[in-house]
Short mmCIF file of all heavy atoms in Angstrom, two decimals:
data_model
loop_
_atom_site.label_atom_id
_atom_site.label_comp_id
_atom_site.label_asym_id
_atom_site.label_seq_id
_atom_site.Cartn_x
_atom_site.Cartn_y
_atom_site.Cartn_z
N SER A 1058 -14.56 4.33 33.32
CA SER A 1058 -13.55 3.74 34.15
C SER A 1058 -12.25 4.41 34.09
O SER A 1058 -11.32 4.12 34.83
CB SER A 1058 -13.39 2.25 33.91
OG SER A 1058 -12.89 2.04 32.62
N GLY A 1060 -9.21 6.98 34.42
CA GLY A 1060 -8.83 7.87 35.53
C GLY A 1060 -8.64 9.25 35.00
O GLY A 1060 -8.65 9.55 33.85
N LEU A 1078 -17.80 -1.40 19.29
CA LEU A 1078 -17.50 -3.00 19.47
C LEU A 1078 -18.75 -3.57 20.20
O LEU A 1078 -19.24 -4.59 19.99
CB LEU A 1078 -16.26 -3.19 20.16
CG LEU A 1078 -15.01 -3.15 19.45
CD1 LEU A 1078 -13.86 -3.41 20.30
CD2 LEU A 1078 -15.04 -4.24 18.23
N PHE A 1081 -21.60 -3.60 17.99
CA PHE A 1081 -21.43 -4.73 17.05
C PHE A 1081 -21.85 -5.98 17.81
O PHE A 1081 -22.52 -6.96 17.11
CB PHE A 1081 -20.11 -4.87 16.58
CG PHE A 1081 -19.53 -6.09 16.07
CD1 PHE A 1081 -20.02 -6.50 14.75
CD2 PHE A 1081 -18.73 -7.06 16.80
CE1 PHE A 1081 -19.56 -7.80 14.38
CE2 PHE A 1081 -18.27 -8.15 16.45
CZ PHE A 1081 -18.70 -8.59 15.21
N ALA A 1130 -7.50 10.29 5.06
CA ALA A 1130 -6.38 11.19 5.17
C ALA A 1130 -6.14 11.99 3.95
O ALA A 1130 -5.91 13.21 4.05
CB ALA A 1130 -4.96 10.40 5.31
N GLY A 1145 -6.30 35.55 -12.37
CA GLY A 1145 -4.89 35.64 -13.06
C GLY A 1145 -3.88 34.70 -12.54
O GLY A 1145 -2.78 34.51 -13.07
N SER A 1202 2.15 23.84 -7.96
CA SER A 1202 2.29 24.84 -9.04
C SER A 1202 2.91 24.46 -10.30
O SER A 1202 3.20 25.15 -11.27
CB SER A 1202 3.07 26.01 -8.52
OG SER A 1202 4.30 25.68 -8.27
N ASN A 1219 7.07 -14.32 -10.01
CA ASN A 1219 6.63 -15.45 -9.35
C ASN A 1219 5.53 -15.07 -8.22
O ASN A 1219 5.00 -15.74 -7.44
CB ASN A 1219 7.50 -16.22 -8.70
CG ASN A 1219 8.44 -15.57 -7.68
OD1 ASN A 1219 8.24 -14.38 -7.48
ND2 ASN A 1219 9.46 -16.22 -7.12
N GLN A 1224 11.51 -10.64 0.40
CA GLN A 1224 11.57 -11.19 1.73
C GLN A 1224 10.67 -12.38 1.89
O GLN A 1224 10.81 -13.12 3.04
CB GLN A 1224 11.20 -10.14 2.74
CG GLN A 1224 9.79 -9.66 2.89
CD GLN A 1224 9.49 -8.49 2.11
OE1 GLN A 1224 9.81 -8.44 0.98
NE2 GLN A 1224 8.92 -7.48 2.77
N ASN A 1233 16.07 -7.49 -3.64
CA ASN A 1233 15.78 -7.55 -5.16
C ASN A 1233 14.29 -6.85 -5.34
O ASN A 1233 13.47 -6.76 -4.57
CB ASN A 1233 15.49 -9.10 -5.50
CG ASN A 1233 15.53 -9.27 -6.89
OD1 ASN A 1233 15.92 -8.48 -7.73
ND2 ASN A 1233 14.75 -10.37 -7.37
N ALA A 1255 0.34 -9.61 -10.91
CA ALA A 1255 -0.69 -9.80 -9.95
C ALA A 1255 -0.24 -10.99 -9.04
O ALA A 1255 0.44 -11.87 -9.47
CB ALA A 1255 -2.05 -10.10 -10.67
N VAL A 1310 -7.74 -5.93 -1.45
CA VAL A 1310 -7.63 -4.87 -0.23
C VAL A 1310 -8.26 -3.59 -0.57
O VAL A 1310 -7.94 -2.55 0.10
CB VAL A 1310 -6.09 -4.76 0.11
CG1 VAL A 1310 -5.56 -6.14 0.54
CG2 VAL A 1310 -5.28 -4.12 -0.85
N LYS A 1314 -7.36 3.14 -7.29
CA LYS A 1314 -8.11 4.46 -7.60
C LYS A 1314 -7.84 4.64 -8.95
O LYS A 1314 -6.74 4.34 -9.60
CB LYS A 1314 -7.49 5.56 -6.71
CG LYS A 1314 -7.68 5.30 -5.20
CD LYS A 1314 -6.96 6.21 -4.34
CE LYS A 1314 -7.24 6.04 -2.88
NZ LYS A 1314 -6.39 6.84 -1.95
N ASP A 1339 4.19 11.39 -14.01
CA ASP A 1339 4.56 12.54 -13.26
C ASP A 1339 3.90 12.56 -11.85
O ASP A 1339 2.68 12.31 -11.85
CB ASP A 1339 4.20 13.89 -13.97
CG ASP A 1339 5.06 13.79 -15.26
OD1 ASP A 1339 6.15 13.39 -15.36
OD2 ASP A 1339 4.52 14.49 -16.37
#
Side-chain angles (χ1 to χ4, degrees):
S1058 67
L1078 281 177
F1081 158 76
S1202 71
N1219 58 1
Q1224 72 263 53
N1233 193 26
V1310 303
K1314 298 171 183 174
D1339 295 329

